[in-house]
Amino acid sequence: MMMKKDNGLIVDYGNVYQKLEEAYSVYGEGGKSKGGDTGTGDTATKNLDELASQLEYVIDDIIVFLNELNFDLLQLLDSSPIEKLALIKEAINAICLNETTRAKFEVMAREMFKKYKSIFPEDEIKPFIKRFNAIEAVYNGLNQQVKEADIIDVIVKLQNVVDDNIELDTVSNKDGVHINLSNLDFDMLKKAYEKVGNKNKIVYDLQQAIDNKLKRMLSDNPSRLAFYEKYLKIIDDYNNGKDAEAIKKAFEDLVDYLADMDEEDHRAMREGLDEETLAIYDLLKKDELSKQEIEEVKKIAQETLVKLKKEQLNIQRWRESSQITAQVQTFIHDRLLYLPQEYYDDDEVDVKSIEVYQHIYSNYYGGGINSYNSFTV
């Protein structure tokens, strides 16, 4: 049985009541208790002053950072609406010098948003409103209609030069638009780059588009890791670049890589395979194989996948069943025993079986759904 409190006594554990009083003194009309003035009003004012100092520090840091990128944020404060649009584009282009500069700006801006929110709507916010609005406008412009970067979008921006070399096929992929890179004149793309104004943004968009496509290609075929590492070397040089020449070189390297990427993207067709079978074939192949042995390996890869897709991989959530996963592993191992024995001993078959199983497990989800025909797992 609980004891009844006399006279409505309030028990204040851990000074909770005092903290509530302090908060209310800032955002409500309180600040005084029954016993008189607690002095929390002075404390609240000091807290707001401290928060204002922190906000000013963050904003100054952003302005200095943008100055280092050759953009003066203060131009935005009193410019006309039309001038503002042009200046925001200029700021975005400066920020997109490379991945590092863009990421740094976004981190600093988000920190500013948190500081600003902690003070708003108090009077202490007023000296910062114009600068805050300018930075927020640049941040919003940078992230406007955020979507996955697409190589098509970047090339279309340069289409005044390359228009005759673009072939569109409106039924080839899930987005309804496919661009045939094989018909592109990559040298003309480089010349087009010289004519655009927002060079940093073009390079950044192209890098993001290639990065997104490469991640999908690598997911489809883990043997493309070496191909991906070549791209990472280009990006490392790009992120270390600090001037116009470095940005130009990054663009040219990315365009050259785009040509290589298109070549890799069509390799399955040249090998007489589809993308799914190519991934398994790449896990099994060896350089020293003869033409006849290569065809044998291709046949094993193809037959293994067809059989699995028809049976175990067609079962809903097969990966959750220890019995079915064991069947898949055993079937793969048994099939790989037919690889040319001169080049694949028992130990090698064991290793290859694990690699193929890991690929199957990662990319085939059950019920006929896999990474090759679905965006979602």
Side-chain angles (χ1 to χ4, degrees):
M1 182 173 172
M2 292 183 63
M3 291 183 64
K4 201 172 181 182
K5 289 188 296 181
D6 294 330
N7 303 321
L9 176 65
I10 296 176
V11 181
D12 185 11
Y13 295 104
N15 294 322
V16 171
Y17 185 70
Q18 183 180 344
K19 296 298 181 184
L20 287 172
E21 281 276 279
E22 290 177 11
Y24 194 56
S25 72
V26 176
Y27 297 107
E29 297 176 354
K32 292 184 180 181
S33 64
K34 232 174 185 180
D37 194 343
T38 63
T40 55
D42 292 339
T43 303
T45 301
K46 288 178 182 178
N47 289 342
L48 284 170
D49 289 342
E50 177 62 27
L51 290 171
S53 296
Q54 292 174 13
L55 175 60
E56 184 171 27
Y57 182 82
V58 173
I59 289 175
D60 287 345
D61 269 0
I62 293 174
I63 292 172
V64 170
F65 176 65
L66 291 176
N67 280 332
E68 291 172 356
L69 297 176
N70 297 314
F71 180 77
D72 182 6
L73 183 79
L74 301 182
Q75 298 175 88
L76 266 172
L77 302 188
D78 298 307
S79 56
S80 67
I82 294 177
E83 290 171 336
K84 274 187 171 70
L85 290 174
L87 287 169
I88 288 171
K89 287 184 179 180
E90 183 183 333
I92 290 170
N93 188 58
I95 291 164
C96 287
L97 178 65
N98 55 48
E99 279 189 308
T100 305
T101 53
R102 176 167 176 150
K104 183 175 179 179
F105 171 78
E106 290 188 336
V107 169
M108 295 171 80
R110 287 193 288 269
E111 181 64 19
M112 179 194 72
F113 297 150
K114 286 194 291 185
K115 301 292 185 189
Y116 189 91
K117 188 177 179 181
S118 69
I119 303 174
F120 187 83
E122 302 303 322
D123 288 343
E124 283 80 358
I125 206 73
K126 291 179 181 177
F128 308 106
I129 291 175
K130 276 193 174 183
R131 285 173 289 170
F132 173 86
N133 288 342
I135 295 168
E136 184 182 42
V138 174
Y139 181 89
N140 289 341
L142 194 64
N143 293 280
Q144 187 175 24
Q145 296 178 342
V146 175
K147 63 176 181 177
E148 185 177 277
D150 196 306
I151 292 170
I152 299 171
D153 296 335
V154 181
I155 292 176
V156 166
K157 291 175 185 177
L158 301 168
Q159 75 176 44
N160 287 337
V161 174
V162 300
D163 188 58
D164 293 337
N165 298 300
I166 292 180
E167 176 183 313
L168 292 178
D169 175 356
T170 58
V171 296
S172 291
N173 66 16
K174 298 180 182 66
D175 298 324
V177 178
H178 169 73
I179 191 163
N180 187 348
L181 298 178
S182 303
N183 293 341
L184 282 173
D185 185 333
F186 291 98
D187 289 331
M188 291 297 285
L189 271 179
K190 294 176 184 178
K191 291 179 182 177
Y193 171 79
E194 297 294 337
K195 298 181 180 181
V196 298
N198 55 335
K199 291 180 170 58
N200 293 356
K201 186 67 165 58
I202 285 288
V203 174
Y204 182 85
D205 287 348
L206 180 59
Q207 178 263 315
Q208 290 289 298
I210 289 175
D211 189 78
N212 285 326
K213 183 172 178 62
L214 267 178
K215 285 174 181 174
R216 289 194 297 271
M217 289 174 67
L218 189 61
S219 173
D220 290 345
N221 191 336
S223 298
R224 288 170 171 151
L225 186 59
F227 188 71
Y228 188 66
E229 286 171 350
K230 180 182 175 183
Y231 161 77
L232 292 179
K233 174 65 171 66
I234 295 172
I235 297 308
D236 185 56
D237 293 342
Y238 163 58
N239 283 331
N240 289 324
K242 301 295 182 185
D243 55 27
E245 279 304 309
I247 298 299
K248 179 182 177 182
K249 184 179 185 305
F251 179 81
E252 292 176 348
D253 288 345
L254 287 170
V255 168
D256 290 339
Y257 189 81
L258 190 61
D260 294 340
M261 189 168 68
D262 183 61
E263 186 81 5
E264 170 63 21
D265 213 18
H266 287 83
R267 187 164 60 85
M269 188 183 300
R270 293 195 304 274
E271 294 283 2
L273 303 170
D274 56 32
E275 274 292 329
E276 295 181 60
T277 310
L278 178 70
I280 296 176
Y281 166 67
D282 282 348
L283 290 171
L284 300 177
K285 70 179 182 179
K286 288 189 172 186
D287 293 337
E288 59 267 32
L289 295 176
S290 67
K291 187 174 181 180
Q292 181 181 342
E293 289 164 339
I294 286 173
E295 292 306 314
E296 289 177 22
V297 174
K298 286 181 180 178
K299 185 179 179 182
I300 290 170
Q302 198 164 34
E303 291 177 349
T304 300
L305 184 59
V306 167
K307 183 76 170 175
L308 285 171
K309 288 178 70 176
K310 186 178 180 180
E311 297 182 8
Q312 287 90 346
L313 304 187
N314 201 37
I315 299 171
Q316 293 282 356
R317 303 204 300 245
W318 68 271
R319 297 183 296 182
E320 297 176 17
S321 168
S322 58
Q323 182 180 358
I324 299 175
T325 55
Q327 289 175 8
V328 172
Q329 292 177 67
T330 301
F331 178 77
I332 291 171
H333 184 271
D334 290 349
R335 291 298 305 157
L336 299 195
L337 288 172
Y338 290 93
L339 290 167
Q341 293 183 3
E342 182 181 351
Y343 299 103
Y344 300 87
D345 58 24
D346 290 345
D347 290 339
E348 182 103 30
V349 168
D350 289 344
V351 172
K352 294 294 183 183
S353 297
I354 293 170
E355 290 177 354
V356 172
Y357 172 75
Q358 288 174 338
H359 169 72
I360 294 292
Y361 187 90
S362 298
N363 291 280
Y364 292 84
Y365 319 127
I369 301 174
N370 57 64
S371 65
Y372 300 90
N373 63 19
S374 174
F375 287 118
T376 58
V377 177

